[in-house]
């Protein structure tokens, strides 16, 4: 078993709370100016640096979305030099692809769905499709028995008809607001990335996403934390 440095980014404190309480982390340190909080934990097999987008200082809400996610990931990689970056969080699931609330996925690929640029060559750049079937991913999939598939990212919680046009042909299984930006940063640093997402709401179901998200956030975050702990403690990396 080799010693491993694991960098983790979680956008919301609500998603991270159960995980922070389950492992012996140092208390969060503010990494100004963005209001990210930094937590660390270690034992003989691993060292973990966790960044959480805890609070936007202007609007006093948690820092969801691609911009904070990209900046935090760049900070994690430059300051901590991780062997692998894990983005853990919640996602909407597509019931047409078999997703159910509370399930945890390990995405095998990522794309943006709301960067529509109709100039030759730029459509592919906008989508920025990347696969993540690295050695860590292969181990996780075989050890933890998680669902897999394409994770699609946009900066909106809703799902417009235009979003649908880019998502449907590619058969995404889950949808979030950070992953493709984190994938972009990791790609440029050549750092392997893992995406663990727990389903809070059904994107193509009958209920409003906001209500489902708020209703299921705690259960989904608990499942996410259990998966992270299994992954770390069973040496599945
Ligand atoms: N995170 C949780 N649910 C989501 C959804 N429906 N869309 C984007 N991000 C999410």
């Amino acid at each position: 078993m080799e010693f491993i440095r694991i960098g983790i980014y979680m956008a919301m404190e609500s998603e991270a709370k159960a995980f922070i309480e389950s492992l012996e982390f140092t208390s969060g340190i503010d990494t100004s100016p963005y209001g990210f909080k930094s937590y660390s934990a270690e034992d003989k097999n691993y060292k973990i640096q966790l960044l959480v987008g805890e609070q936007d200082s202007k609007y006093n809400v948690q820092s969801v979305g691609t911009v904070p996610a990209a900046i935090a990931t760049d900070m994690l990689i430059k300051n901590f030099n991780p062997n692998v970056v894990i983005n853990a969080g919640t996602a909407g699931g597509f019931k047409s692809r078999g997703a159910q609330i509370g399930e945890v996925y390990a995405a095998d690929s990522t794309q943006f769905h709301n960067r529509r640029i109709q100039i030759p060559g730029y459509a592919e750049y906008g989508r920025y499709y990347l696969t993540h079937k690295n050695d860590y991913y292969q181990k996780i999939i075989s050890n933890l028995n998680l669902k897999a598939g394409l994770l699609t990212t946009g900066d909106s919680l809703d799902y417009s008809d235009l979003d649908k046009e880019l998502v449907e042909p590619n058969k995404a299984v889950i949808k979030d607001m950070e992953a493709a930006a984190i994938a972009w940063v990791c790609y440029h640093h050549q750092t392997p990335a893992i995406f663990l997402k727990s389903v809070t709401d059904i994107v193509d179901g009958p209920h409003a996403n906001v209500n489902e998200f708020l209703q299921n956030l705690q259960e989904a975050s608990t499942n996410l934390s259990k998966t992270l702990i299994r992954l770390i403690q069973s040496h599945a990396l």
Side-chain angles (χ1 to χ4, degrees), residues 113-118 123 126 160 162-163 165-166:
H113 60 254
N114 67 346
R115 306 200 318 172
R116 294 174 294 275
I117 316 168
Q118 291 89 350
S160 73
L162 282 172
D163 294 338
E165 267 179 39
L166 198 65

Side-chain angles (χ1 to χ4, degrees), residues 215-235:
Q215 217 173 332
N216 299 313
L217 181 57
Q218 198 168 346
E219 180 196 336
S221 303
T222 303
N223 293 353
L224 183 66
S225 167
K226 283 184 188 156
T227 304
L228 278 165
I229 296 291
R230 267 170 70 208
L231 185 150
I232 292 160
Q233 293 185 341
S234 68
H235 311 308

